[in-house]
Amino acid sequence: MFQFKIINKQSLGPDIKRLDIQAPEIARRVKPGHFVIVTPQEGAERIPLTVVEADLNRGLITLIFQEVGATTRQLGMLQINETVFGMLGPLGVPSVIEKLGTVVCITTGVGTAQILPICRAHKKTGNKVIGIIGAKAKKLLTLEAQMRLSCNNLFIATNDGSYMKRGLATDLFRELLNKEKIDLVHAVGSVDMMHSVVAMTRERKIKTRVSLNPVMIDGTGMCGSCRVKVNRKTVLACVDGPEFDGHQVDFEDLKVRMNAFQVLYDKDGKEIECFNQKSTPSRAESESKTLTRFLSGILKSKP
């Protein structure tokens, strides 16, 4: 059995980690837009993470993630020379990279890690790449130097005005629409941000790609938890995506699914995933399988 050994580890910001992991077979096959399913420890839940970089000579892949739950915290606690229990990939359909002209890549938060390889691929193909990054504050901004190298122009907005322009990434994008002839937009980030971008590009008939990140369990299409509506059809983000035509995505349905369950904590600080409803889950509910909780949450959250 191959050991997914951690060769390098960095802290990129508050609760944001970078791991370089030995995975030569994945590194050899991965393309921009691909992801892997990671199991940090035996018995832990699986999480999908975008492959940010691949070093073919050393057989390494780079994962960048934010510690937002029990599983990502487990992964973040692993140290150099320790091993990740399991990793499956590369998964998903790689990003569509074509020579089109001017490509805008807009992202928020840790989505910068997802969009970075896409920016690199578009620039390598000969496109003019304009990057837009949004962050709540300067201290939460990551990969700025890498993005500057991967884009012809880079614009940054912070909610609190602590760095560059005060405001949202979508504010910068709205301004850019009036200055540039844009051939393609690629958006990665919160559902609200992507929805806003799509609304603006639909008016101008600009081709738009979005990368969706619904709850995913196995990453191979067997569980069905990551289903989304695209072009009025139900598809799976893990095998049909995660990249889709933004103008065809049903964002209202996606918002319901993204809020199908929430995380609460018991009196000892232990994390409990539960249905998205006002009542506290019973012991039986909190001990149910993740898939059952998720699917039940979807039904209970439907209008």
Side-chain angles (χ1 to χ4, degrees):
M1 179 179 176
F2 187 83
Q3 298 293 312
F4 299 107
K5 186 177 180 181
I6 298 173
I7 303 302
N8 182 49
K9 177 180 181 180
Q10 291 178 284
S11 178
L12 302 182
D15 299 322
I16 299 176
K17 300 292 193 302
R18 169 183 171 142
L19 297 180
D20 296 326
I21 303 172
Q22 279 187 340
E25 289 301 314
I26 296 176
R28 186 163 60 88
R29 294 179 172 85
V30 72
K31 295 180 180 179
H34 273 148
F35 66 94
V36 291
I37 292 289
V38 181
T39 308
Q41 301 172 359
E42 186 174 5
E45 292 185 356
R46 304 174 182 89
I47 51 174
L49 293 173
T50 297
V51 179
V52 181
E53 295 178 357
D55 185 332
L56 294 178
N57 294 329
R58 301 174 65 194
L60 302 180
I61 64 169
T62 297
L63 305 178
I64 296 175
F65 58 95
Q66 186 172 16
E67 297 177 349
V68 294
T71 309
T72 46
R73 285 197 293 272
Q74 285 179 346
L75 183 60
M77 289 175 63
L78 295 177
Q79 301 300 319
I80 293 175
N81 293 326
E82 291 187 326
T83 59
V84 175
F85 177 74
M87 192 182 305
L88 177 65
L91 300 173
V93 179
S95 296
V96 178
I97 307 296
E98 305 171 284
K99 187 172 182 179
L100 298 171
T102 299
V103 178
V104 174
C105 294
I106 178 171
T107 186
T108 53
V110 76
T112 309
Q114 292 177 257
I115 212 164
L116 178 59
I118 295 171
C119 291
R120 286 172 172 163
H122 276 300
K123 189 175 182 181
K124 184 177 180 181
T125 304
N127 291 311
K128 176 185 177 181
V129 180
I130 301 176
I132 299 177
I133 303 176
K136 291 183 178 179
K138 182 180 180 179
K139 65 180 181 180
L140 299 175
L141 186 65
T142 59
L143 302 174
E144 179 186 353
Q146 292 87 337
M147 284 291 288
R148 289 196 182 280
L149 291 173
S150 305
C151 300
N152 297 89
N153 294 299
L154 181 66
F155 302 96
I156 299 172
T158 51
N159 294 18
D160 63 358
S162 56
Y163 187 61
M164 304 301 281
K165 186 166 183 177
R166 178 188 294 272
L168 305 175
T170 48
D171 296 332
L172 292 177
F173 180 64
R174 188 175 291 106
E175 293 177 9
L176 191 63
L177 282 173
N178 296 321
K179 298 177 181 178
E180 290 272 353
K181 180 186 179 299
I182 300 170
D183 299 289
L184 173 69
V185 175
H186 198 122
V188 179
S190 69
V191 177
D192 288 336
M193 183 276 282
M194 292 189 292
H195 196 182
S196 296
V197 168
V198 167
M200 286 186 269
T201 59
R202 181 180 285 114
E203 293 179 0
R204 298 172 182 251
K205 298 181 180 180
I206 300 172
K207 185 177 180 181
T208 305
R209 307 291 294 178
V210 296
S211 294
L212 306 185
N213 190 31
V215 173
M216 215 175 275
I217 298 175
D218 66 88
T220 61
M222 296 182 66
C223 71
S225 63
C226 67
R227 64 191 187 277
V228 293
K229 288 184 180 179
V230 179
N231 197 22
R232 300 181 181 178
K233 297 179 181 178
T234 299
V235 297
L236 300 175
C238 64
V239 294
D240 299 311
E243 183 179 299
F244 296 98
D245 181 340
H247 296 160
Q248 296 183 348
V249 173
D250 185 336
F251 282 97
E252 295 304 326
D253 179 77
L254 179 61
K255 289 175 184 178
V256 171
R257 294 188 182 281
M258 294 294 286
N259 293 312
F261 67 86
Q262 59 183 355
V263 177
L264 297 179
Y265 299 88
D266 62 19
K267 62 181 180 180
D268 298 318
K270 183 178 179 181
E271 185 177 293
I272 302 174
E273 291 177 352
C274 66
F275 304 138
N276 188 12
Q277 52 188 348
K278 294 182 179 180
S279 60
T280 302
S282 66
R283 180 180 178 83
E285 287 172 338
S286 64
E287 293 177 350
S288 298
K289 296 294 185 180
T290 302
L291 176 57
T292 303
R293 289 199 302 269
F294 178 78
L295 297 179
S296 298
I298 286 289
L299 295 176
K300 292 175 182 289
S301 299
K302 281 288 186 181

